[in-house]
Amino acid sequence: MAEAVIRTASQIAEREGLIEVTEVNVRLGEIQQVDLEVFKFALSQLKTQELKKARFNIRRAEARFRCRACGCEWLFSADELDEEAREAVHFIPEAAHTFVRCPECGSRDFEFTSGRGVWIESIKGVRE
Amino acid sequence: MKIDPRISLIEERLKGIRRVIAVSSGKGGVGKSLVSSALALTLARRGLRTGLFDMDFTSPASHIILGVGDAQPEEADGIVPPVVHGLKYMSIIHYVHDRASPLRGVDLSNVVTELLAVTIWGKLDFLVIDMPPGISDVVLDVLRLIRKAEFLVVTTPSRLAFETVRKLIDLLLELGVPVLGVIENMKMGSSDRIRREVEGRGLNFWGEVPFDPRLEESIGDAGRLMRTEFGRAIERMAAEKLGIT
């Protein structure tokens, strides 16, 4: 994930003609249970030249699901899962459809309304 | 702005792979998983570095055909697929095992993207993809995300099967996507209709695989699969059409 963020931020910087990136705003979804400190450390280790001075602002996005069958919305917590299911959802969030059911009607047909994956919201920097 | 960083990693993950063969069909039940498995085994047995990626996420079958068992990927700055019968093997079954995975289109796209972004294949001569049937999300994502993919299309002699296969072929040709050829599986009669249809479109007809009643008995045993009439036919076609020795 960190590698993907650094690579993408570098590509955006190059495309936008930024000689130096000062800020990268990242959202980290909670479905995959990524350790924030480990993620920050990985980002710091992988920084490329144009990102050396960049501040990474990482905001968590809570994991929210909505049942397509009954409309129930709920906050997902991986703590409710056993170790095998937690690991599956960590690597493939869509594995939640295998291990999680709607708390109201029991359906596995639900959508992730928030908290899936990692994404870059914005980048600030200095142009040539 | 919401930029998905996974996309930028995919090219990096695939750059060590020389050729990607997506074994596809418009129709289910024509033998894609068996063809994919036998093709990948053939390539690996010829000493070529080969991976097999089961992208039929809701109905995976290649793990049963190959008897994958408990082989699990390792985490190392991504996911390193286990080696099964000489193949680097990736499937959703490593994570959900034998449980049902009810996934809608957007979920399927996310699984394709996620696994392409995290799987570390390393250097491969061939990556064989066992595709789901039809021309929906996963096929469109492979076309979008794996620009080097070449399609090997499987049909049966059935007019119903070939009607859907024809649509897949027409789509691929319209998009300028390389179509390696078409295999006619479960051949029972003597009609050359499929060959004519395929060659009439300027495509390579890989050949006919006779219906093999003993094939079912080989499920779960890769060695036995390759000794069946089916396995030998796929091996012969792959050697000839891919120019492997």
Side-chain angles (χ1 to χ4, degrees):
Chain A
M1 278 187 182
E3 188 183 350
V5 168
I6 292 293
R7 185 175 288 273
T8 303
S10 296
Q11 287 174 353
I12 295 170
E14 189 181 341
R15 193 175 67 219
E16 297 296 322
L18 304 178
I19 52 170
E20 185 180 293
V21 176
T22 54
E23 191 176 310
V24 181
N25 293 301
V26 178
R27 290 300 292 270
L28 182 62
E30 289 190 334
I31 295 175
Q32 280 172 289
Q33 323 129 60
V34 175
D35 185 302
L36 185 59
E37 292 310 311
V38 172
F39 185 61
K40 283 180 177 172
F41 177 74
L43 286 173
S44 69
Q45 295 298 300
L46 293 166
K47 274 183 179 180
T48 52
Q49 189 56 40
E50 65 273 27
L51 294 168
K52 280 290 178 212
K53 293 181 182 169
R55 189 173 71 240
F56 283 83
N57 300 318
I58 302 163
R59 284 196 304 145
R60 288 218 181 251
E62 62 184 12
R64 294 193 71 86
F65 293 176
R66 179 167 52 218
C67 179
R68 287 190 174 102
C70 75
C72 172
E73 293 191 33
W74 75 98
L75 268 177
F76 164 73
S77 170
D79 295 340
E80 299 157 12
L81 304 177
D82 63 25
E83 191 180 337
E84 182 193 11
R86 268 203 309 274
E87 185 175 296
V89 173
H90 170 68
F91 286 111
I92 308 174
E94 285 65 34
H97 294 283
T98 299
F99 297 103
V100 178
R101 299 171 68 164
C102 170
E104 285 294 324
C105 72
S107 172
R108 295 188 192 276
D109 185 10
F110 51 83
E111 61 184 318
F112 305 157
T113 54
S114 163
R116 198 232 175 272
V118 177
W119 63 97
I120 295 174
E121 285 188 319
S122 62
I123 286 181
K124 292 178 183 170
V126 181
R127 280 210 165 86
E128 281 181 280
Chain B
M1 179 165 88
K2 186 172 180 177
I3 297 170
D4 185 346
R6 295 174 299 174
I7 305 298
S8 70
L9 254 191
I10 292 175
E11 194 177 343
E12 174 70 18
R13 297 295 193 218
L14 299 177
K15 77 176 185 190
I17 303 174
R18 201 161 57 82
R19 294 181 72 177
V20 178
I21 300 179
V23 179
S24 309
S25 180
K27 202 75 172 165
V30 298
K32 290 181 302 299
S33 297
L34 282 158
V35 169
S36 307
S37 300
L39 175 61
L41 287 168
T42 295
L43 297 167
R45 287 173 170 212
R46 304 279 171 130
L48 295 159
R49 296 164 299 183
T50 307
L52 177 60
F53 189 174
D54 193 334
M55 281 200 187
D56 195 350
F57 300 122
T58 57
S59 310
S62 59
H63 64 293
I64 301 170
I65 294 167
L66 296 172
V68 166
D70 296 330
Q72 280 294 110
E74 284 180 18
E75 188 180 2
D77 296 332
I79 295 172
V80 180
V83 176
V84 178
H85 306 301
L87 306 169
K88 289 186 179 176
Y89 180 77
M90 180 52 80
S91 168
I92 195 170
I93 64 103
H94 293 316
Y95 300 99
V96 301
H97 303 285
D98 58 355
R99 301 177 185 91
S101 310
L103 299 172
R104 285 180 180 262
V106 64
D107 302 315
L108 292 166
S109 282
N110 265 320
V111 178
V112 172
T113 309
E114 196 76 31
L115 287 179
L116 285 174
V118 300
T119 305
I120 300 171
W121 294 102
K123 288 200 181 306
L124 290 180
D125 295 304
F126 286 93
L127 175 63
V128 178
I129 303 178
D130 181 9
M131 299 286 288
I135 44 177
S136 56
D137 302 85
V138 174
V139 173
L140 297 175
D141 283 318
V142 166
L143 291 171
R144 179 172 64 98
L145 298 170
I146 311 179
R147 295 299 171 94
K148 65 174 94 172
E150 305 165 80
F151 281 70
L152 175 60
V153 181
V154 183
T155 186
T156 67
S158 160
R159 289 176 65 179
L160 299 179
F162 190 74
E163 178 56 21
T164 63
V165 164
R166 183 189 59 72
K167 289 175 183 160
L168 170 65
I169 291 171
D170 289 347
L171 174 74
L172 296 172
L173 293 176
E174 179 189 308
L175 296 173
V177 176
V179 179
L180 279 174
V182 177
I183 292 176
E184 185 181 7
N185 192 23
M186 302 184 210
K187 180 80 174 179
M188 284 190 284
S190 58
S191 165
D192 66 348
R193 189 177 56 83
I194 301 294
R195 174 188 287 273
R196 283 188 281 108
E197 291 268 15
V198 170
E199 292 180 344
R201 286 174 166 73
L203 296 175
N204 198 337
F205 184 70
W206 272 35
E208 300 160 351
V209 182
F211 179 76
D212 183 349
R214 289 183 48 238
L215 191 54
E216 185 67 21
E217 297 162 19
S218 75
I219 301 294
D221 184 337
R224 195 166 172 185
L225 170 68
M226 296 312 292
R227 289 192 297 275
T228 61
E229 196 175 344
F230 172 90
R232 290 197 302 271
I234 298 297
E235 192 171 17
R236 213 166 37 242
M237 287 178 198
E240 181 193 336
K241 303 295 183 182
L242 295 174
I244 56 175
T245 53

